[in-house]
Amino acid sequence: MSVTTTTEYVEDVSPGSGTLPPRAWYASSDAPSLSLNGPWRFRLSDTADAEDDSFAAPGYDAGGWAEVAVPGHWVLQGHGSPIYTNHLYPFPVDPPRVPTENPTGDHLRVFDLPDGWPADGGAVLRFDGVESCARVWLNGTDLGEFKGSRLPHEFAVGHVLKPAGNVLAVRVHQWSAGSYLEDQDQWWLPGIFRDVTLLHRPAGCVLDFFVHASYDHTTGAGTLRVDSDTDGRVSVPELGIDVPTGEPVTVPVEPWSAETPRLYEGVLTTEGERVPLRIGFRTVELSDGLIKVNGTAVLFKGVNRHEWHPEKGRALDLATMREDVLLMKRHNINAVRTSHYPPHPAFLDLCDEFGLWVIDECDLETHGFTEQGWRDNPVDDDRWTPALLDRAARMVERDKNHPSVVMWSLGNEAGTGRGLTAMAEWIRGRDASRLLHYEGDADCRDTDVYSRMYASHAEVERIGRGLDGGPQRRRELPLVLCEYAHAMGNGPGGLADYQRLFRSHDRLQGGFVWEWIDHGIAHPGLEYAYGGDFGEELHDGNFVCDGLLFPDRRPSPGLIEYRKVIEPVTLTGDGGAGTVRVTNGYDFTDLSALAFSWSYEVEGEPVQEGTLSVPALAPGESAEVKLPAVPAGAPSGEALWTVRARLASGTAWAPAGHVVAWGQIPVTERRVPSVTATARPVPGDGVISLGPATFDARTGAVRTIGGVPVTELRLDVWRATTDNDDGAAWQSDPRYGPLWRKLGLHRMRHRLAAVEAGEDALTVRTRVAPAARDVGLATVYRWTSDGDRLRLTVSTVPDGDWTVPLPRLGIRFGLRAADRVRWYGGGPGEAYPDTRAAALTGRWEAAVADLQTPYVRPQENGARIDVRWAELGGLRIEGDPAFFLTARRWTTERLDAAAHRTDLVPGDTVWVNLDHGQHGIGSQSCGPAPLPRYHLRAEPAEFSFVFSAIDGVSSTTL
């Protein structure tokens, strides 16, 4: 073979050469196949033409090369480093040219055909995903090259294949002209990251086929027609179907939906091959201005899903994909947008099987061109149109037989242009059975839905009421929020408020939370790394960690909140009347699969439990269901009913007893703690005693309560800013984190004005204010006692011109030993004013360490809401009114300064915050700020806490 270093193809705008036409993907057939996954020899070069292609020749000695796993990314296997950017290209924007410094990985695999591999027929070599450009040789023959990282590419190789000693060589370039089309808010990770497979192609084999399986909801009939490039027969034994390809047949069927994912097993048989089919009958249409499936409007309760694994990047195995789908189903999620590229095809098989609506998105984003006003954007340049059409075709042809796919998306954040219109026209011509989506089409010229990102609640409501402007066509289309509720760090806030809007207006057909999982990379020194941790020249920090799952796939509080907000059954009631109102929020199914139960609870303790008979309500129906009588002899105190809807039987995605929905119904109000001020402050040697407490006589600071040392109790208004507090740089609304710091709320000074020991109270007057500013909070601490218990009443009055809300308002103090916390209030997880839907009122217990939420970038976290009382460190604390509780083994200042979890080293003191209020969370790391009703305004406030020692309890126990 010739020795060459020709690399012009890297900067060629064409999609490639030598590949076969795209076709339907299927997981198996009776034709043999050979997985070429596993260890490959690997050599990394700094540039695209640093090495010749002699390595592709049989007999080349690669014994000195390194080894990498395929599927995999070489930068996650010790060769080079990952790069994270949100939308900036990490190379000069000079399309289609790319830098000379272009990491290039040569991959080599020698393989034998397995015993029994047929000697006749052809063979196809399939790559399911390579980033970003690959050139392929087999046994020294140059097969061609391709771009389109997250799309399949096949080569005919039967003419060069031999029984043993086959040499497969693949040269992969990190940067190529294709990189300009793949600027997708993720790590740039070169490599062969999806499967490589050799497929035998017998004479008369299946080439391409299209399963058309529609459903008529008025008759209950399904119509099946399978078009095949190779003539054959289609059989579905369960339906009694056995017809030639291309021939339609209509029979009664059970339809497929995300709620009832009914699949029929079939077989496509040609002269040379049998391919199993999984057929779901369903019809997608735009009707009456709504997205309807099988005649019913659907509400998307979705997530955006990048493919991610903290150690393997986008090289996901089947078990991880299955875990994702099961987690989604168990958290009431019913839809996925495959942002911003088609996923591994096996993921769509799982969506078919378990039931998820899918918006399948093309491998296209040119977001970086926004930096130059979209000048030279490839989607409006005819030279790039063949590449765009190739990407559209490879997505549609690969995934067209999945009933879960209900919409095709042209891509994401690629501006507008003729290329997108060409893609839309081609897709419509090829598949008229699905709708088209593209958020960037503001006039909806090429799309079937009005799609928006991060629209505010107010704007969403205006659209729902039909008060938006724009072209007539757009105003006649349904709204889908393809991205909303940015799940970065602590948040997202406002989910319940969005969901109320979706339920109130038919035109609002739901949305997709951004996004599914934090893209933290496992790192021995940092736990999880994010942008900038690999020395990138340009990066966007932890903006890559914005998911509902932590990198290890543990659900975040955001996912727990979302599960509650989107639960398919609503349970509300009237405790006085003893009734619960049950509303079926499913689109297609009744409630017969659910079992309902009740629990009567007093002061957070269950008194009696039982089952509840609920009719099998149809979708959208409600019923008032009578609760049993209040149990005789129930203790007095705050009482409520907790009603739960559970799976009556196990399903494919969850066991029997899995809680699908719950609701709590108050019966009686809580008893407010009271302390009669009978004890008098008693001066001593440098101290003042009051009931169970001692105070510093000079400063009025409490030293001990019931013998328990208490450190630095004082007013606190600062929290370690969340990603949403700090906001995104492009936000036009105020970003409170920067405003708070500018005002100096993170460095408040406490000026002592007076310590007054009265007849029945110790009063400490202070002013809390930041240096260099004339705003402050006049703060009064009033201590009283009945001899055994100690009451603190805090009064604050703002002075000066406060133009921003407060981060928090409460007190902070330190305890020397407090390993565990018990509390009665909201739990078990964290909650804030606009993330409180999932807070279940009850009695809870946790270690202090377990109260922390492990956000990849440390920030305010872990508050428990509506706490009536808490016990920790030998103290019992009751609130009037209920309060937010936070306890951690580091100060807020240390938390605020930390960049990674490993920066937080537990100390000997547990710092406790008892907050009267917290500012809302919102979604401003990319979306809107907290709604005004969740702002913690600087205004006069008063709140109290009652402290008492817990007799006979070790402080290390509590």
Side-chain angles (χ1 to χ4, degrees):
M1 61 173 289
S2 64
V3 175
T4 178
T5 58
T6 300
T7 56
E8 289 89 349
Y9 62 89
V10 174
E11 296 183 338
D12 192 330
V13 298
S14 73
S17 65
T19 57
L20 294 170
R23 65 189 181 109
W25 189 93
Y26 48 94
S28 64
S29 81
D30 63 349
S33 65
L34 174 65
S35 172
L36 298 177
N37 295 346
W40 289 49
R41 289 293 183 179
F42 177 77
R43 175 181 67 186
L44 182 63
S45 302
D46 294 333
T47 66
D49 56 1
E51 304 285 351
D52 60 45
D53 58 17
S54 59
F55 80 103
Y60 182 88
D61 182 7
W65 287 21
E67 193 173 86
V68 295
V70 171
H73 306 278
W74 71 68
V75 294
L76 297 183
Q77 300 183 62
H79 306 280
S81 298
I83 300 170
Y84 168 62
T85 59
N86 168 29
H87 78 278
L88 297 175
Y89 289 107
F91 48 81
V93 179
D94 184 23
R97 288 169 284 277
V98 295
T100 300
E101 297 80 10
N102 188 358
T104 295
D106 289 335
H107 299 69
L108 199 62
R109 171 74 186 263
V110 179
F111 66 93
D112 300 333
L113 297 179
D115 293 340
W117 188 273
D120 60 338
V124 165
L125 177 64
R126 184 175 71 207
F127 295 87
D128 282 316
V130 182
E131 183 178 330
S132 74
C133 173
R135 188 174 181 181
V136 184
W137 296 264
L138 182 61
N139 294 329
T141 298
D142 187 350
L143 299 178
E145 74 284 339
F146 61 86
K147 307 177 190 75
S149 299
R150 284 152 280 277
L151 296 163
H153 295 84
E154 294 182 326
F155 297 95
V157 296
H159 60 296
V160 294
L161 204 60
K162 55 186 183 181
N166 292 282
V167 177
L168 177 56
V170 184
R171 173 163 287 169
V172 180
H173 307 282
Q174 175 158 19
W175 311 123
S176 69
S179 301
Y180 285 99
L181 305 179
E182 297 171 2
D183 187 22
Q184 295 154 319
D185 185 13
Q186 59 181 338
W187 293 98
W188 299 87
L189 299 174
I192 306 172
F193 68 95
R194 287 185 185 161
D195 307 286
V196 182
T197 311
L198 182 70
L199 305 167
H200 179 245
R201 299 284 78 208
C205 66
V206 173
L207 296 175
D208 189 22
F209 63 95
F210 197 162
V211 177
H212 303 274
S214 61
Y215 177 73
D216 186 338
H217 67 279
T218 64
T219 65
T223 299
L224 175 67
R225 187 185 84 246
V226 178
D227 297 331
S228 175
D229 287 359
T230 306
D231 290 342
R233 296 193 70 82
V234 176
S235 61
V236 186
E238 187 177 355
L239 296 176
I241 292 175
D242 186 356
V243 296
T245 54
E247 181 175 308
V249 57
T250 299
V251 293
V253 297
E254 299 173 36
W256 187 97
S257 74
E259 294 172 10
T260 54
R262 180 66 160 95
L263 293 172
Y264 290 91
E265 302 294 328
V267 179
L268 168 60
T269 304
T270 64
E271 177 187 353
E273 189 174 14
R274 289 170 53 88
V275 174
L277 305 176
R278 296 200 305 175
I279 302 166
F281 291 88
R282 58 105 185 93
T283 295
V284 184
E285 62 181 339
L286 186 66
S287 176
D288 303 319
L290 298 174
I291 303 163
K292 294 185 178 180
V293 180
N294 301 333
T296 297
V298 297
L299 182 62
F300 295 119
K301 305 170 183 178
V303 291
N304 287 274
R305 175 185 176 269
H306 269 300
E307 295 179 302
W308 188 251
H309 187 281
E311 295 168 345
K312 302 175 184 178
R314 287 186 285 279
L316 266 60
D317 58 20
L318 183 61
T320 300
M321 290 184 268
R322 183 184 180 91
E323 183 180 358
D324 277 350
V325 170
L326 293 179
L327 279 168
M328 290 176 190
K329 294 291 292 186
R330 291 168 184 167
H331 288 84
N332 296 325
I333 290 165
N334 71 0
V336 180
R337 175 178 173 234
T338 68
S339 51
H340 297 296
Y341 43 82
H344 190 292
F347 179 77
L348 297 180
D349 282 343
L350 294 167
C351 294
D352 295 341
E353 178 182 350
F354 292 100
L356 289 168
W357 308 117
V358 175
I359 297 180
D360 198 356
E361 192 148 275
C362 195
D363 192 11
L364 172 62
E365 181 170 337
T366 63
H367 199 174
F369 284 90
T370 189
E371 294 296 311
Q372 55 199 62
W374 296 107
R375 187 177 65 255
D376 299 328
N377 185 8
V379 305
D380 201 30
D381 184 335
D382 291 340
R383 295 176 301 164
W384 294 81
T385 299
L388 303 182
L389 291 173
D390 180 76
R391 289 171 183 249
R394 291 187 182 279
M395 171 183 69
V396 171
E397 301 296 7
R398 192 196 77 168
D399 298 340
K400 58 183 177 282
N401 295 325
H402 290 283
S404 57
V405 177
V406 293
M407 275 193 266
W408 302 116
S409 178
L410 301 179
N412 183 69
E413 292 178 319
T416 58
R418 292 163 289 176
L420 289 165
T421 298
M423 293 170 69
E425 291 175 349
W426 185 90
I427 293 174
R428 281 204 171 93
R430 178 58 173 148
D431 178 24
S433 69
R434 294 175 172 93
L435 305 182
L436 267 182
H437 167 272
Y438 176 63
E439 181 268 342
D441 184 9
D443 292 337
C444 298
R445 181 183 61 180
D446 298 323
T447 57
D448 299 308
V449 297
Y450 180 24
S451 178
R452 289 292 307 278
M453 292 181 181
Y454 308 108
S456 68
H457 297 83
E459 184 177 3
V460 171
E461 183 171 20
R462 286 197 301 272
I463 295 170
R465 295 172 61 194
L467 300 178
D468 54 315
Q472 179 70 25
R473 169 172 167 76
R474 191 179 80 184
R475 287 185 282 117
E476 293 174 348
L477 295 177
L479 176 76
V480 171
L481 294 179
C482 69
E483 294 180 22
Y484 82 113
H486 198 246
M488 185 177 178
N490 187 335
L495 283 169
D497 303 282
Y498 275 115
Q499 204 65 28
R500 279 191 287 271
L501 293 173
F502 297 159
R503 290 170 177 156
S504 299
H505 304 282
D506 291 343
R507 187 187 180 193
L508 308 180
Q509 293 199 252
F512 296 78
V513 169
W514 185 269
E515 64 162 311
W516 177 236
I517 187 169
D518 286 343
H519 300 198
I521 294 178
H523 190 290
L526 304 175
E527 190 166 352
Y528 292 110
Y530 50 75
D533 289 331
F534 297 96
E536 300 102 305
E537 180 183 25
L538 293 174
H539 67 85
D540 286 290
N542 68 311
F543 203 71
V544 77
C545 294
D546 47 12
L548 294 169
L549 295 180
F550 297 121
D552 60 4
R553 281 182 161 73
R554 282 183 293 168
S556 76
L559 181 57
I560 304 304
E561 176 82 355
Y562 195 36
R563 174 179 66 182
K564 172 60 179 169
V565 165
I566 62 175
E567 60 189 10
V569 180
T570 304
L571 300 162
T572 58
D574 183 337
T579 59
V580 58
R581 183 172 181 81
V582 183
T583 302
N584 180 358
Y586 285 110
D587 291 326
F588 295 93
T589 56
D590 63 25
L591 300 186
S592 59
L594 301 179
F596 291 79
S597 64
W598 58 266
S599 172
Y600 185 78
E601 298 156 14
V602 178
E603 297 293 317
E605 294 279 17
V607 174
Q608 191 171 327
E609 299 174 337
T611 59
L612 190 67
S613 179
V614 174
L617 300 171
E621 286 188 345
S622 297
E624 297 285 342
V625 178
K626 189 68 177 175
L627 290 164
V630 172
S636 61
E638 181 182 10
L640 53 79
W641 298 96
T642 299
V643 180
R644 294 178 174 88
R646 294 182 169 93
L647 291 178
S649 303
T651 68
W653 48 270
H658 169 79
V659 176
V660 172
W662 58 267
Q664 290 190 305
I665 304 163
V667 179
T668 59
E669 296 182 355
R670 70 171 293 222
R671 294 177 295 192
V672 177
S674 63
V675 173
T676 302
T678 58
R680 299 182 61 181
V682 179
D685 186 11
V687 300
I688 297 174
S689 299
L690 178 62
T694 61
F695 298 82
D696 185 290
R698 183 178 62 84
T699 65
V702 64
R703 288 182 173 179
T704 64
I705 300 175
V708 176
V710 177
T711 304
E712 297 182 35
L713 188 151
R714 63 185 187 180
L715 189 78
D716 193 12
V717 300
W718 182 248
R719 71 186 187 194
T721 53
T722 68
D723 293 316
N724 287 306
D725 290 336
D726 291 336
W730 60 82
Q731 296 284 8
S732 58
D733 291 338
R735 292 175 288 138
Y736 289 114
L739 291 176
W740 290 339
R741 291 186 194 276
K742 182 178 180 181
L743 188 59
L745 300 188
H746 60 305
R747 47 175 178 78
M748 300 291 274
R749 306 289 181 87
H750 297 253
R751 178 175 62 82
L752 179 63
V755 178
E756 303 167 354
E759 284 295 313
D760 60 358
L762 176 65
T763 303
V764 181
R765 303 182 188 279
T766 67
R767 186 175 188 271
V768 182
R773 303 292 175 182
D774 65 352
V775 299
L777 295 167
T779 305
V780 177
Y781 308 89
R782 188 172 189 272
W783 299 89
T784 58
S785 175
D786 61 4
D788 296 318
R789 296 179 299 163
L790 183 72
R791 184 183 190 100
L792 167 64
T793 300
V794 181
S795 303
T796 64
V797 177
D799 61 64
D801 185 16
W802 283 88
T803 59
V804 298
L806 297 170
R808 73 183 334 141
L809 180 66
I811 61 170
R812 181 179 80 170
F813 57 90
L815 297 176
R816 289 182 185 172
D819 292 336
R820 298 193 67 78
V821 182
R822 296 176 186 149
W823 75 97
Y824 169 39
E830 75 178 25
Y832 291 82
D834 54 347
T835 65
R836 60 176 299 148
L840 183 70
T841 300
R843 292 199 187 191
W844 309 100
E845 182 174 350
V848 169
D850 294 336
L851 291 177
Q852 317 311 308
T853 304
Y855 295 115
V856 175
R857 185 192 75 81
Q859 56 198 272
E860 165 61 31
N861 74 89
R864 271 52 180 183
I865 201 169
D866 288 338
V867 175
R868 282 75 158 164
W869 57 256
E871 296 178 344
L872 72 163
L875 292 178
R876 179 183 174 92
I877 306 164
E878 300 170 83
D880 180 14
F883 57 93
F884 294 87
L885 169 69
T886 308
R888 52 177 68 102
R889 291 192 176 275
W890 38 76
T891 63
T892 297
E893 290 75 16
R894 287 177 58 192
L895 180 63
D896 198 23
H900 295 88
R901 298 180 194 170
T902 49
D903 295 332
L904 295 170
V905 180
D908 295 332
T909 300
V910 172
W911 293 97
V912 181
N913 276 90
L914 311 177
D915 290 320
H916 175 62
Q918 280 263 0
H919 185 65
I921 295 298
S923 187
Q924 204 175 11
S925 51
C926 191
L931 287 168
R933 62 176 168 274
Y934 302 123
H935 288 201
L936 180 59
R937 304 187 188 283
E939 55 191 16
E942 183 174 285
F943 48 94
S944 299
F945 303 102
V946 175
F947 299 85
S948 56
I950 305 173
D951 295 333
V953 177
S954 166
S955 62
T956 57
T957 303
L958 292 178

